[in-house]
């Protein structure tokens, strides 16, 4: 097998404000201009936003993230959930565990933050998590979920964090999303299935490394915390976490496993020099270095995904039959993001139809707007707009579930 070529690139630097990435002024200004133009296009140019989030430097600033992240998840910023009431904590089955995990999450907050400010954010974090779980009782909290939630909260604030976390966790049960819900099943079978993709990737790229890890019987559990927290729990620098969130939010739901593979491949020499023993290799790999060349690894992960897409690896990864709705419905999710209106239009529609005070005003406005799009006769537009209808969600869920029950080979037809 040919080894993945490693190109030398300069790792992006970050200044004292972890939310701002240093780049040559020309490249930075050009990217910001492209992002702005994509956001004001009608419909929003989602492909340009995805490309900006995935390529060198990511989305550059938290201000830009607050504008782009919702678009990547098809969230209307003028129709956000209300702040949770105090009753969100009443008699919730996960309340005690969530509070314990949040109390232990002090290192996830910026260094130097006043204790009083951190305490307020921790209370908000508890409410955000419990609100999403209360809205979706079929979800099961896991330790590490709070690492994802806090990353969102620190960037977009409480109400948007609820909307994003809800979408990431569970929205595909109604229609079409992806990402975290597989980790929130009652058992770890879904997560184990996703981890099954790691070794086939290594086998394709570096057969010698793959053989070494198989002889050591190390398995893939060392990467579990990487995946279920989107690396938020294992990285000490928040700037690196944000860079990876830019990348993951703009990518296929299996991209975190490709990044995990590039990290293992990057440490190839260390692994091979370690005693071929399960405990020794697991100890090495489970402690992720903090000085990784993230831009290089992101670039390599994208290359790996292009060369060895999930469809190529699915037979190997599906040795244990499993239904992964977050993966199987990804194409539908992509379609639903392609025809979002820019915020200026959404704001005008909201004001014009009194959505701020009426629960159905914005829906009616958007329905009329959909009618204009529908009249264009573009079949793809029709599919995307129809995909946004909640009435189709149940049907899509039933079809996806039934198809996946036929066998893992069906998964190959979905990519």
């Amino acid at each position: 097998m040919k080894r993945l070529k490693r190109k030398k690139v300069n790792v992006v630097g970050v200044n004292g404000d972890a939310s701002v990435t240093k780049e040559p002024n020309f490249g930075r200004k050009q990217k910001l201009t492209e992002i702005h133009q994509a956001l004001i296009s009608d419909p929003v140019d989602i492909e340009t936003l995805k490309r900006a989030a995935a390529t060198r430097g990511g989305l550059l600033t938290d201000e830009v993230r607050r504008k782009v992240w919702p678009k990547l998840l098809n969230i209307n910023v003028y129709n956000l959930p209300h702040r949770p009431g105090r009753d969100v904590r009443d008699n919730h089955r996960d309340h005690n565990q969530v509070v314990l995990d949040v109390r232990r999450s002090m290192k996830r907050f910026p260094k130097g933050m006043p204790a009083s400010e951190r305490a307020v954010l921790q209370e908000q974090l508890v409410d955000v998590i419990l609100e999403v779980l209360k809205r979706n009782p079929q979800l099961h909290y896991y330790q590490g979920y709070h690492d994802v939630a806090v990353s969102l909260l620190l960037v977009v604030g409480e109400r948007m964090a609820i909307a994003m976390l809800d979408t990431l966790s569970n929205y595909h049960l109604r229609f079409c999303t992806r990402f975290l819900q597989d980790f929130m099943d009652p058992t770890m079978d879904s997560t184990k299935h996703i981890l099954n993709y790691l070794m086939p990737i290594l086998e394709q790229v570096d057969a010698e490394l793959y053989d070494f890890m198989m002889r050591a019987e190390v398995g893939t559990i060392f990467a579990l915390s990487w995946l279920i927290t989107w690396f938020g729990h294992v990285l000490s620098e928040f700037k690196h976490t944000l860079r990876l969130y830019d990348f993951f939010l703009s990518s296929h739901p299996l991209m975190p496993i490709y990044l995990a593979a590039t990290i293992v491949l990057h440490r190839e020499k260390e692994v091979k020099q370690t005693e071929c023993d399960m405990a020794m290799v697991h100890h090495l790999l489970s402690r992720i270095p903090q000085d990784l060349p993230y831009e290089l690894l992101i670039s390599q992960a994208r290359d790996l995904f292009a060369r060895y897409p999930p469809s190529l690896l699915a037979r190997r990864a599906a040795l244990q039959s499993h239904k992964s709705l977050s993966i199987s419905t990804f194409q539908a999710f992509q379609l639903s993001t392609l025809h979002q209106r820019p915020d200026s239009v959404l704001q005008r529609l909201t004001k014009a139809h009194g959505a701020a005070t009426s629960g159905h005003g914005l829906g009616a406005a958007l329905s009329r707007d959909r009618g204009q799009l529908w009249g264009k006769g573009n079949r793809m537009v029709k599919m995307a707009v129809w995909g946004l209808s909640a009435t189709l969600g149940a049907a899509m869920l039933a079809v996806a579930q039934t198809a996946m029950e036929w066998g893992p080979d069906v998964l190959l037809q979905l990519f």
Side-chain angles (χ1 to χ4, degrees):
M1 298 290 179
K2 293 184 178 180
R3 189 183 304 278
L4 180 66
K5 294 182 179 179
R6 297 172 182 165
K7 299 179 181 179
K8 291 185 177 180
V9 299
N10 295 323
V11 181
V12 213
V14 178
N15 64 17
D17 178 0
S19 66
V20 181
T21 305
K22 287 182 179 178
E23 278 195 341
N25 286 335
F26 176 77
R28 177 186 174 83
K29 290 180 179 179
Q30 182 179 13
K31 174 175 264 195
L32 290 173
T33 299
E34 291 174 354
I35 291 172
H36 175 71
Q37 290 299 323
L39 286 170
I40 64 175
S41 297
D42 191 5
V44 173
D45 186 353
I46 199 69
E47 293 303 322
T48 293
L49 296 181
K50 287 181 178 180
R51 184 169 59 252
T55 53
R56 178 183 173 88
L59 295 176
L60 302 175
T61 73
D62 283 356
E63 181 181 0
V64 175
R65 291 183 177 100
R66 283 188 282 272
K67 296 176 181 178
V68 175
W69 280 5
K71 296 302 181 186
L72 296 178
L73 294 181
N74 197 13
I75 292 173
N76 182 351
V77 299
Y78 295 101
N79 189 26
L80 296 178
H82 294 294
R83 287 186 173 86
R86 301 308 300 175
D87 62 331
V88 73
R89 305 189 183 201
D90 294 343
N91 302 318
H92 196 285
R93 66 188 179 193
D94 295 310
H95 173 264
N96 291 338
Q97 187 60 57
V98 170
V99 171
L100 287 173
D101 289 346
V102 169
R103 286 177 180 172
R104 292 193 290 254
S105 66
M106 291 180 59
K107 71 173 187 177
R108 292 302 318 280
F109 293 88
K111 296 177 181 178
M113 174 179 284
S116 58
E117 184 178 347
R118 185 181 66 244
V120 171
L121 287 171
Q122 286 180 307
E123 291 299 308
Q124 289 182 359
L125 181 57
V126 171
D127 289 344
V128 166
I129 294 171
L130 293 179
E131 177 66 19
V132 173
L133 295 176
K134 185 176 181 179
R135 288 163 172 254
N136 306 282
Q138 76 279 11
L139 297 182
H140 294 261
Y141 177 77
Y142 65 86
Q143 289 181 287
Y145 189 62
H146 68 290
D147 284 295
V148 178
V150 72
S151 298
L152 302 178
L153 176 64
L154 289 173
V155 176
V156 300
E158 186 177 14
R159 294 178 64 195
M160 180 61 76
I162 293 172
M164 290 187 65
L165 192 62
D166 188 284
T167 300
L168 288 173
S169 303
N170 185 46
Y171 185 69
H172 74 269
L173 292 179
R174 295 188 294 276
F175 176 52
C176 61
T177 2
R178 48 187 177 145
F179 303 132
L180 299 176
Q181 200 274 341
D182 281 339
F183 300 140
M184 305 185 77
D185 282 351
T187 70
M188 292 297 288
D189 290 344
S190 302
T191 304
K192 290 176 182 177
H193 170 77
I194 295 173
L195 285 168
N196 284 344
Y197 280 84
L198 179 58
M199 296 306 287
I201 298 173
L202 298 180
E203 183 181 19
Q204 292 289 331
V205 180
D206 191 331
E208 185 179 339
L209 176 62
Y210 168 81
D211 290 340
F212 180 90
M213 293 181 64
M214 292 298 291
R215 291 198 310 273
E217 299 181 339
V218 68
T220 56
I221 296 300
F222 64 85
L224 177 61
S225 64
W226 305 358
L227 297 182
I228 66 176
T229 69
W230 273 9
F231 293 81
H233 183 72
V234 296
L235 299 182
S236 59
E237 294 285 345
F238 191 47
K239 61 187 179 184
H240 299 321
T241 301
L242 293 180
R243 178 65 187 97
L244 295 186
Y245 273 51
D246 290 344
F247 180 43
F248 295 150
L249 287 169
S250 64
S251 303
H252 188 279
L254 284 176
M255 192 58 79
I257 204 72
Y258 282 81
L259 184 72
T262 64
I263 291 174
V264 175
L265 291 165
H266 180 74
R267 305 184 69 191
E268 165 211 353
K269 291 182 180 179
E270 291 180 80
V271 174
K272 292 178 180 177
Q273 291 172 359
T274 302
E275 181 180 347
C276 191
D277 171 77
M278 186 266 288
M280 296 293 291
V281 178
H282 177 85
H283 178 80
L284 172 70
L285 289 174
S286 62
R287 283 158 176 75
I288 190 169
Q290 297 301 311
D291 59 347
L292 291 171
Y294 293 96
E295 294 298 335
L296 171 62
L297 297 177
I298 288 172
S299 176
Q300 289 184 341
R302 297 178 72 197
D303 290 344
L304 278 179
F305 186 88
R307 293 170 58 187
Y308 310 110
S311 57
L312 180 67
L313 306 172
R315 291 187 185 275
R316 297 296 307 276
L319 294 177
Q320 299 176 357
S321 177
H322 170 69
K323 295 177 288 185
S324 178
L325 286 177
S326 66
I327 296 173
S328 67
T329 57
F330 177 62
Q331 289 182 332
F333 176 82
Q334 285 184 309
L335 188 62
S336 75
T337 66
L338 294 179
H339 298 276
Q340 299 176 77
R341 311 307 302 274
D343 287 346
S344 59
V345 173
L346 294 176
Q347 184 181 36
R348 186 170 67 249
L349 291 171
T350 302
K351 290 181 178 180
H353 297 278
T357 57
S358 171
H360 57 272
L362 181 60
L366 290 179
S367 295
R368 284 188 287 274
D369 209 44
R370 290 190 191 113
Q372 296 175 1
L373 290 173
W374 199 272
K376 294 180 180 179
N378 185 313
R379 185 179 179 186
M380 294 300 291
V381 174
K382 292 178 182 179
M383 291 177 62
V385 174
W386 186 251
L388 294 176
S389 170
T391 59
L392 188 56
M396 288 296 295
L397 174 60
V399 171
Q401 286 179 320
T402 303
M404 291 305 293
E405 286 172 358
W406 293 339
D409 286 346
V410 177
L411 181 64
L412 298 175
Q413 303 173 17
L414 299 171
F415 297 95

